[in-house]
Amino acid sequence: MLYLVVTALAAFSTVGPGSVALQIQLPRRAFLTSTAAAISATTTLLPVDAVDLNTDEFTITYDPTVGPLGLEIKDVTFSTAIRVQVASILPSSQVLGQQSWKDYISKSQTYLRTSSYDEYLQDVADKLAPPPGLIISSVNGKSTERTNAQGVRQILSEEIPKMDGQPILITLKSSSGFNEALVTLKESETVTTNISPSSPSSPAQDLKITQLKKPLTPTATIAGVGDLVEVAYKGYYLPPGITDASKGSGRVPFDSSSARNDDSTIQFVLGKQPFGQFPPAFNVGIENMRVGEVRGIEVPPVLGYGEEGFKKFGVPGSVFLYFEIELKAVNALYK
């Protein structure tokens, strides 16, 4: 395994698509030890030292005058996309004393064997703590979701001259936080995750899921990939250029379960339906739903019908979609 120490004076270059670095199966790792930068007034980062319960992102700070950040990062590849993951954390890391990190760890006990933050710190010191399960989403508002570890270090080094003793803000995304938040979603609550666009020139896009009606009971059957689900739904697309799916936005109906089936509901195996039958967001929106629950799903183009649209239903390209979905049954269980 290769380890690189990044210093404030080091220069880096972004590795482009098709290079050997993108094909490495055992990912290259590096310790983040550099920089800080100025934040523009338009940057939409979460408040420092606060984890928003309705998003899978939170922000940490790095003060280069204190010392290394102490996060080990590596490249991970999902299909053709590459992401930069936090592989491990050093006992001396600055983030261990930050409230946003503490909040994240306290919410993530499902995969951490520790029962308290002090025990977690001891595991970090003993090198027993599992990987944090985090992706580096942005550095001072600059997206890092379409670059690799070397690209992240390049962004950090470019920010150095812009700083005047100010800390750098690094936004982290939980690889499991979105799904975990959906399990505990409450009526009228919305969970949001940022989706990397299909091309570097496209703007970032958000997937939003709102619980419109709570399940029949708190312990109602929950849907997972591979389950036979029965749903009733209505689908809309928004006029080109419109991203707000609220009522009055001019959303146009284009599909529904009643239009596809005389019984007003349809059944399919979650995550296994033929490609093109439903947009990718359909699976994401239904997973972890409970019987009787109704969700509203705001779908960005990258998880909808993309730039091509869906001519069969008259859906234009590059438009946002909105679905209202009610889960009627899971594996023929209606409760």
Side-chain angles (χ1 to χ4, degrees):
M1 194 67 69
L2 177 63
Y3 292 90
L4 301 176
V5 176
V6 184
T7 65
L9 298 179
F12 307 96
S13 60
T14 302
V15 180
S19 68
V20 176
L22 296 182
Q23 307 301 322
I24 295 175
Q25 296 300 314
L26 294 176
R28 178 176 300 182
R29 299 185 175 189
F31 286 109
L32 288 180
T33 64
S34 59
T35 79
I39 309 298
S40 71
T42 58
T43 299
T44 55
L45 294 174
L46 294 178
V48 176
D49 284 348
V51 174
D52 187 335
L53 298 179
N54 291 330
T55 182
D56 55 356
E57 293 186 342
F58 67 98
T59 301
I60 59 173
T61 61
Y62 169 55
D63 184 352
T65 65
V66 173
L69 177 58
L71 296 182
E72 184 189 16
I73 63 173
K74 68 177 182 179
D75 295 338
V76 291
T77 302
F78 304 97
S79 183
T80 59
I82 192 166
R83 299 289 185 269
V84 181
Q85 186 179 69
V86 178
S88 63
I89 183 168
L90 298 181
S92 58
S93 176
Q94 294 183 27
V95 305
L96 291 175
Q98 297 179 21
Q99 189 61 47
S100 57
W101 187 270
K102 293 179 182 179
D103 289 344
Y104 170 71
I105 294 301
S106 67
K107 292 198 311 175
S108 305
Q109 296 301 326
T110 52
Y111 71 87
L112 290 171
R113 68 180 182 84
T114 53
S115 59
S116 70
Y117 194 71
D118 286 341
E119 290 182 25
Y120 167 73
L121 292 178
Q122 186 60 53
D123 275 359
V124 171
D126 295 338
K127 298 183 179 180
L128 297 175
L134 295 166
I135 300 295
I136 298 181
S137 179
S138 68
V139 175
N140 278 348
K142 295 183 178 180
S143 176
T144 57
E145 294 202 32
R146 298 189 63 86
T147 188
N148 58 7
Q150 185 173 343
V152 170
R153 299 194 299 274
Q154 174 70 20
I155 293 174
L156 287 169
S157 65
E158 290 175 351
E159 294 297 316
I160 298 173
K162 304 175 184 178
M163 290 306 300
D164 185 19
Q166 298 297 315
I168 195 168
L169 300 187
I170 300 174
T171 301
L172 303 175
K173 175 184 291 188
S174 169
S175 56
S176 60
F178 185 69
N179 285 334
E180 290 175 358
L182 290 178
V183 174
T184 58
L185 190 62
K186 297 179 180 179
E187 194 166 13
S188 300
E189 280 189 350
T190 299
V191 176
T192 302
T193 187
N194 183 260
I195 307 297
S196 182
S198 56
S199 67
S201 59
S202 301
Q205 302 176 19
D206 288 338
L207 171 68
K208 299 180 181 181
I209 298 180
T210 302
Q211 188 183 88
L212 303 178
K213 180 182 177 183
K214 63 184 179 181
L216 293 177
T217 67
T219 58
T221 306
I222 192 169
V225 174
D227 287 332
L228 177 66
V229 297
E230 181 179 347
V231 301
Y233 75 92
K234 296 179 181 179
Y236 307 82
Y237 71 83
L238 306 188
I242 303 298
T243 61
D244 178 13
S246 59
K247 290 184 178 180
S249 62
R251 57 193 190 193
V252 181
F254 73 91
D255 187 21
S256 68
S257 52
S258 59
R260 295 196 185 203
N261 192 326
D262 292 337
D263 293 333
S264 76
T265 63
I266 61 170
Q267 297 185 23
F268 58 90
V269 178
L270 185 61
K272 305 295 183 180
Q273 63 266 38
F275 180 78
Q277 183 173 354
F278 298 105
F282 218 74
N283 288 327
V284 180
I286 295 175
E287 188 174 353
N288 294 322
M289 282 185 78
R290 293 185 181 275
V291 172
E293 185 178 355
V294 180
R295 288 180 177 176
I297 307 174
E298 300 179 40
V299 184
V302 70
L303 284 182
Y305 296 120
E307 297 178 356
E308 299 298 322
F310 198 177
K311 295 181 180 178
K312 177 181 178 180
F313 289 131
V315 179
S318 301
V319 296
F320 281 69
L321 307 177
Y322 180 74
F323 289 94
E324 289 186 3
I325 303 176
E326 180 178 4
L327 181 62
K328 294 288 190 177
V330 177
N331 297 325
L333 296 175
Y334 292 82
K335 59 181 182 179

